[in-house]
Amino acid sequence: MELAALETKESALFPTYARYPLTFVRGEGSRLWDDRGNVYLDFMSGLAVCNLGHVPPQVKQSVEEQLGRLWHVSNLFQSLQQETLAKLLADHSCTDLAFFCNSGAEANEAAIKLARRYAQRVQGKERYEIVTFEKSFHGRTLATLTATGQDKVKDGFYPLPEGFAYARYNDIESVEACINERTAAVMLELVQGESGVHPADPVFVRELAQLCQERELLLIVDEVQTGMGRTGKLFAYEHYGIEPDIVTLAKGLASGLPVGAMLGKRKLREAFAPGSHASTFGGSPLAMAAGIATLRTMLEERLPERAAAAGRYALRRLAAELQHAPPAKAVRGLGLLIGIELDRPVEPFVRELQRKGLLVLPGGPYVIRFMPNLYVAHDEIDQAVERLADVLFQASDK
């Protein structure tokens, strides 16, 4: 069905997405083609999913080879692919164990369950509460939207599960006020992307890690968006000199195939005994083949370092080009997760940039997010910055 026909016919899909009137049919590297032949520079990367660009050849080859061998097998049997990816992740992180699922929300659900079960079955304490943060985002399932510190995602879904408290971001005293005898863990993003690209303060993060250690609380870092090289390190926690007990991953792990992962320290093994958690499709051979190829490519080609350099270049160019554009208020970010804050709602600018062939994403009502793939070239950054500057200066002239 072509888009023109779709626009005149009621969709058979639930209207859960406010979709833009674009249909993409092909992608390569930093570019996407729509069904009318128009070409777009993609600075969304499928919401920080396509970190190697669209259809990366190394991942494509791995998936094609796996397609000819095996698509699915029950998790009741051994999985060489899961063992391989788990070992790669353990070797290049502060964690030792992995559980594979299908999405970031599922990874965060697993982390919440693991934290509670560890407290109750291993520590022997009646703990179940998780401290999260205002303006955070952790997913759309009932538990993860409850963990999310934004009321807008909870509207109409009450009653919500109990067991969550919300502290102010970058405020250690607020965290301490939330902790009580029921607290099992603290869960945070090191860059709050959905609410406007706000990196955590390094002093706060170190104080938080120390506090968790002193109170025997697990520290969960949600790296669903920030992981896999996005911030200029393989994992964002590496910027802060800490070692979380649990790390959650998804988006960039398999270059677009659905996969999530919860990584944890060895001490947590006992808490997730057989029968305590499971996923029918989690860790499928196809997803694992994509994840192995993605991670190996990222490591072999040193893409986190490349993302760090590209991010520094992008921040310099944005600061220079937008300093006299009245709608622009601030530019901030870490690696290739960059926010451009405006003094007015960004949605009209997002749509105008689409018309100019640049795909960007809102980060809350007043922030435009730049999230190109980790291979992004300086000339592609230049093109994106110039198109954004053009749109903002046009707005300031009106």
Side-chain angles (χ1 to χ4, degrees), residues 40-77:
Y40 299 81
L41 182 60
D42 182 11
F43 267 50
M44 295 171 61
S45 299
L47 307 190
V49 168
C50 302
N51 285 3
L52 304 186
H54 292 283
V55 197
Q58 307 93 321
V59 181
K60 178 183 177 183
Q61 180 181 350
S62 181
V63 171
E64 287 177 342
E65 290 172 356
Q66 187 61 48
L67 274 169
R69 291 196 296 264
L70 182 68
W71 295 12
H72 175 78
V73 67
S74 169
N75 274 315
L76 294 174
F77 301 97

Side-chain angles (χ1 to χ4, degrees), residues 170 172 200-210 240 242:
N170 288 328
I172 196 65
D201 176 69
V203 173
F204 164 74
V205 173
R206 290 192 293 272
E207 291 176 341
L208 178 61
Q210 182 64 32
Y240 293 88
I242 63 166

Side-chain angles (χ1 to χ4, degrees), residues 103-109 111-112 130-133 135-140 143-145 147-150 169 186-194 198 200 208 218-228 230-231 234-237 240 242 244-252 260-263 337:
S103 68
E106 287 181 60
N108 285 334
E109 285 268 354
I112 292 165
I130 314 292
V131 176
T132 66
F133 291 87
K135 299 182 181 180
S136 61
F137 184 85
H138 296 293
R140 298 278 186 175
T144 57
L145 71 82
T148 294
Q150 300 183 55
Y169 201 55
V186 178
M187 183 178 193
L188 85 159
E189 305 155 283
L190 292 169
V191 181
Q192 289 188 334
E194 297 293 325
H198 298 286
L208 178 61
L218 295 181
L219 178 58
I220 305 168
V221 174
D222 177 344
E223 297 249 18
V224 170
Q225 185 166 129
T226 58
M228 299 305 291
R230 172 59 49 189
T231 67
L234 190 60
F235 304 103
Y237 74 76
Y240 293 88
I242 63 166
D245 298 292
I246 299 173
V247 175
T248 57
L249 297 173
K251 294 181 180 294
M262 182 200 64
L263 312 180
L337 177 50

Side-chain angles (χ1 to χ4, degrees), residues 317-329:
R317 291 284 285 114
L318 286 163
E321 292 295 323
L322 303 185
Q323 62 178 327
H324 300 301
K329 290 181 61 179

